[in-house]
């Protein structure tokens, strides 16, 4: 199991717009083998789970370790994970977080929970966040070495930096002339 990838997919799941089965298939674009298994109940189950999972990212952003752990434990209890050894490639035995009978929703929920639980145990409970760009409500997983990530994407980071630059430029332009350093020296 690639727990870091599962953790990052959990953020992508929270950020996804899953209005219907087609939207879920689009979300799973890189996992085409799951497309034929998507049903309407998966969409409903994932919408509910997304609402349950967002508070974990918010608690992590607030540095509330106890709440992160408590919420993840509650979710693990509500959505039990049934790992199994996969032998579809006998030369590469590996673990899956759900058995073959699991629905797409059960698989994605299991991956999200195991990914986040492992990330929290390995890197700490404050490695999840919400985007600092005021117009964005997306979440992210922070795997940076110094835990410095503040934005969900390069796009939001650039947008925030441009907005801050423009605000500084505007403040300089609006500064009264007698407040300039040259005027103060006279």
């Amino acid at each position: 199991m690639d727990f870091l990838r599962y953790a990052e997919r959990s953020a992508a799941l929270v950020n996804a717009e899953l209005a219907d089965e087609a939207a879920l298939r689009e979300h799973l674009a890189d996992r085409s083998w799951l497309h034929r298994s998507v049903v309407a109940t998966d969409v409903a189950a994932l919408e509910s789970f997304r609402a349950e999972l967002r508070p974990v990212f918010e608690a992590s952003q607030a540095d509330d370790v106890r709440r992160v752990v408590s919420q993840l434990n509650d979710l693990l209890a509500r959505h039990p994970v049934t790992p199994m050894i996969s032998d579809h490639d006998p030369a590469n035995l590996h673990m899956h977080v759900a058995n073959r009978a699991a629905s797409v929703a059960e698989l994605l929920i299991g991956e999200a929970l195991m990914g986040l639980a492992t990330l929290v145990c390995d890197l700490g409970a404050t490695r999840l966040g919400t985007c600092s760009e005021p117009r964005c409500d997306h979440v992210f997983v922070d795997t940076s070495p110094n835990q410095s990530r503040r934005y969900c994407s390069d796009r939001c980071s650039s947008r925030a930096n441009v907005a801050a630059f423009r605000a500084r430029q505007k403040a300089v332009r609006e500064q009264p002339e007698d407040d300039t350093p040259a005027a103060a020296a006279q």
Side-chain angles (χ1 to χ4, degrees):
M1 289 187 258
D2 183 349
F3 291 114
L4 181 55
R5 184 175 60 191
Y6 288 167
E8 290 171 343
R9 283 184 180 165
S10 72
L13 182 62
V14 171
N15 296 336
E17 297 288 333
L18 301 177
D20 54 25
E21 294 167 52
L24 178 52
R25 285 187 193 94
E26 186 177 323
H27 175 71
L28 296 168
D30 64 332
R31 302 171 84 182
S32 59
W33 64 91
L34 292 174
H35 291 192
R36 62 182 155 71
S37 302
V38 170
V39 294
T41 55
D42 291 322
V43 175
L46 289 170
E47 279 300 306
S48 175
F49 178 69
R50 289 175 60 233
E52 294 174 320
L53 192 55
R54 176 175 278 286
V56 174
F57 286 84
E58 293 167 350
S60 180
Q61 178 77 29
D63 292 330
D64 191 339
V65 173
R66 287 186 189 274
R67 195 164 48 129
V68 170
V69 171
S70 174
Q71 289 174 337
L72 276 176
N73 281 335
D74 289 348
L75 288 170
L76 284 164
R78 278 195 302 256
H79 304 280
V81 178
T82 309
M84 65 170 265
I85 300 171
S86 174
D87 63 354
H88 57 83
D89 178 2
N92 183 23
L93 297 176
H94 57 278
M95 297 291 291
H96 284 195
V97 297
N99 61 37
R100 289 185 179 98
S103 69
V104 170
E106 290 168 331
L107 172 67
L108 297 180
I109 291 168
E111 288 176 352
L113 292 175
M114 289 304 298
L116 290 175
T118 302
L119 179 100
V120 164
C121 290
D122 289 351
L123 299 180
T126 58
R127 288 297 189 140
L128 310 173
T130 57
C131 189
S132 293
E133 161 52 39
R135 296 166 285 187
C136 182
D137 67 349
H138 284 182
V139 300
F140 59 86
V141 173
D142 183 359
T143 57
S144 65
N146 59 354
Q147 197 173 343
S148 60
R149 187 167 175 184
R150 294 179 35 224
Y151 301 99
C152 69
S153 65
D154 289 340
R155 178 178 176 234
C156 279
S157 175
S158 293
R159 193 173 11 176
N161 288 332
V162 167
F165 174 78
R166 288 180 178 158
R168 287 190 307 272
Q169 294 301 311
K170 182 179 178 183
V172 167
R173 284 191 309 272
E174 292 176 352
Q175 187 176 24
E177 275 192 41
D178 55 46
D179 286 347
T180 61
Q186 294 175 353

